[in-house]
Amino acid sequence: MKLNYEFFYDWTKANLNIHLNGYKEKQLQRRIASVMKNAGAVTLEEYTGKIQKDPAVKQEFLDYITINVTDFFRNQDIFEEFEKQLVTYLSPQFPNLKIWSAACSTGAEAYSMAMILDKHGIRSSEKILATDIDETILKRAKAGAYKTHEMKNVSDADRSRYFQEENGTFYLTPAIKNRVQFKKHDLIADRFSSDFHAIVCRNVTIYFKNEVKEELYQKFSDSLIPGGLFFTGATEAIYNPEAYGFKKLSPFIYEKI
Ligand SMILES: C[S@@+](CC[C@H](N)C(=O)[O-])C[C@H]1O[C@@H](n2cnc3c(N)ncnc32)[C@H](O)[C@@H]1O
C-alpha cells in the first residue's frame, strides 16, 4: 500500500512542529515506515492517531527520526585539527570566543570543546551554545552523565580530570558543565544567532536535502564573524566553499572570509 507521506509531513509540521520535507526522502520514508510498523499502524493516518494518543509512540517516533549517535572527540583526527585551530588561530585573535555546537545530541561534542578550552586555559565569558531539535536528548545533555560505552574516546587523564565516576556512570564536573548552555533549536525552521567565532555542525546535514543543506551553509556563513571557522563532519566536506564565502583550510574546516 502506498503511504501518504505528504499528509504525514503536513501533520507533523502542524502538530509537532517538525519540518520533515527538508530531509532526504528515501532514507526518511524508510525510517517512518519502519517506526510506524513498530507501533502497529498500517497507514500514516492511523499512525498519527497513535502518536496523538500515546506519548510512548510519540517518543519512539521522535527518537527514531532524530538519530542521536554521537561521541566525545568523534573522529579524533578531526578533533585534533579543531584543537589546533582553536588554540593557535582563534584564541590568540579573539579573547572571548563565541562557539556554537549545532545539532549537539547528548552534548558530547560541546563538552569535548569545553574540555579543550579548559585544557589550554582559554577563558571565555560566553558559554558554548549547544542546540538540538530533540528535547529529550537535550535533557540528557544538560545532565552531563555518561555510561562507560560512551566514554571510549575520553583519555584516562581527561576522565580523572573532568568526570566523577559513580556506579558505572561518569558525571561531568560542574566546571565543564558550566561552560555549555543548551537550547532547543531547529536548523530548518529557526532563526540563527550571529557573531560566532566557531560553528561546529557535524553529522546532521547528511540527512537533509541538497537545497536545505545549501541554505544552511549560507546561514552558517552569515552567522560567523570574518575569520571565524566552520567545522563539518567527516563525510560532509563542502565541494564549493567559495559559494558561501568560505575558504577551505582542511577538508572539514572552513574559514569565513
Ligand atoms: C547524528 S547526531 C550528530 C551529533 C553530533 N553533532 C556529532 O556529530 O556527533 C544528529 C543530531 O541532529 C539532530 N537533528 C536532526 N534534525 C535536526 C534539525 N532539523 N535541527 C536541529 N537538530 C537536528 C538530532 O536530534 C541529533 O541529535
Side-chain angles (χ1 to χ4, degrees):
M1 189 201 316
K2 205 166 172 296
L3 295 173
N4 190 350
Y5 287 104
E6 284 312 314
F7 153 79
F8 191 66
Y9 296 169
D10 289 345
W11 186 86
T12 44
K13 188 170 170 184
N15 293 274
L16 305 177
N17 195 21
I18 295 180
H19 299 238
L20 291 176
N21 43 14
Y23 292 72
K24 277 184 194 152
E25 216 143 47
K26 258 198 191 149
Q27 198 181 20
L28 176 71
Q29 293 185 353
R30 222 177 21 238
R31 295 186 79 77
I32 294 172
S34 153
V35 71
M36 177 191 95
K37 234 164 135 193
N38 285 352
V42 177
T43 65
L44 286 166
E45 287 80 353
E46 187 189 349
Y47 186 40
T48 55
K50 286 181 184 279
I51 292 177
Q52 230 157 6
K53 268 191 228 114
D54 186 342
V57 171
K58 178 175 165 189
Q59 194 53 51
E60 194 195 7
F61 165 67
L62 293 174
D63 289 348
Y64 218 79
I65 58 149
T66 49
I67 314 172
N68 298 126
V69 181
T70 189
D71 243 330
F72 285 100
F73 306 101
R74 184 174 190 178
N75 305 112
Q76 276 179 309
D77 44 337
I78 301 183
F79 244 93
E80 278 164 23
E81 187 68 42
F82 284 179
E83 183 163 0
K84 200 169 107 202
Q85 296 287 355
L86 280 172
V87 175
T88 62
Y89 171 76
L90 278 181
S91 162
Q93 282 190 80
F94 306 106
N96 202 11
L97 292 179
K98 189 172 167 190
I99 301 175
W100 178 20
S101 163
C104 65
S105 186
T106 65
E109 180 174 84
Y111 288 135
S112 300
M113 286 191 289
M115 286 186 251
I116 289 176
L117 296 182
D118 184 83
K119 230 177 281 179
H120 294 280
I122 301 174
R123 295 199 185 162
S124 184
S125 61
E126 290 274 351
K127 292 192 184 211
I128 295 170
L129 173 67
T131 61
D132 202 283
I133 193 176
D134 179 350
E135 284 173 291
T136 311
I137 210 72
L138 285 173
K139 275 192 200 128
R140 267 214 62 198
K142 278 181 202 159
Y146 299 89
K147 293 288 174 201
T148 309
H149 72 270
E150 297 175 285
M151 298 287 292
K152 64 181 189 311
N153 290 345
V154 183
S155 68
D156 289 346
D158 285 350
R159 276 187 198 206
S160 46
R161 187 164 172 188
Y162 298 121
F163 293 84
Q164 269 197 321
E165 201 224 320
E166 237 181 273
N167 303 325
T169 302
F170 291 80
Y171 296 90
L172 270 163
T173 56
I176 294 300
K177 273 174 69 178
N178 288 339
R179 292 195 81 142
V180 182
Q181 179 197 13
F182 291 97
K183 246 175 147 176
K184 184 180 181 204
H185 180 271
D186 180 344
L187 286 166
I188 296 179
D190 293 336
R191 255 195 73 245
F192 284 23
S193 301
S194 56
D195 299 327
F196 289 102
H197 300 100
I199 298 177
V200 183
C201 182
R202 305 165 74 210
N203 305 301
V204 66
T205 65
I206 38 171
Y207 302 114
F208 297 148
K209 286 180 182 163
N210 279 341
E211 60 268 29
V212 173
K213 208 186 291 191
E214 285 160 16
E215 235 174 81
L216 280 181
Y217 290 150
Q218 190 56 56
K219 283 162 88 178
F220 283 130
S221 174
D222 294 342
S223 291
L224 284 162
I225 53 138
L229 300 180
F230 178 58
F231 300 111
T232 66
T235 57
E236 295 168 309
I238 306 176
Y239 78 95
N240 55 343
E242 309 75 30
Y244 311 102
F246 285 135
K247 183 172 114 196
K248 181 171 167 177
L249 299 186
S250 78
F252 314 111
I253 302 184
Y254 301 85
E255 180 185 351
K256 161 83 177 279
I257 300 158

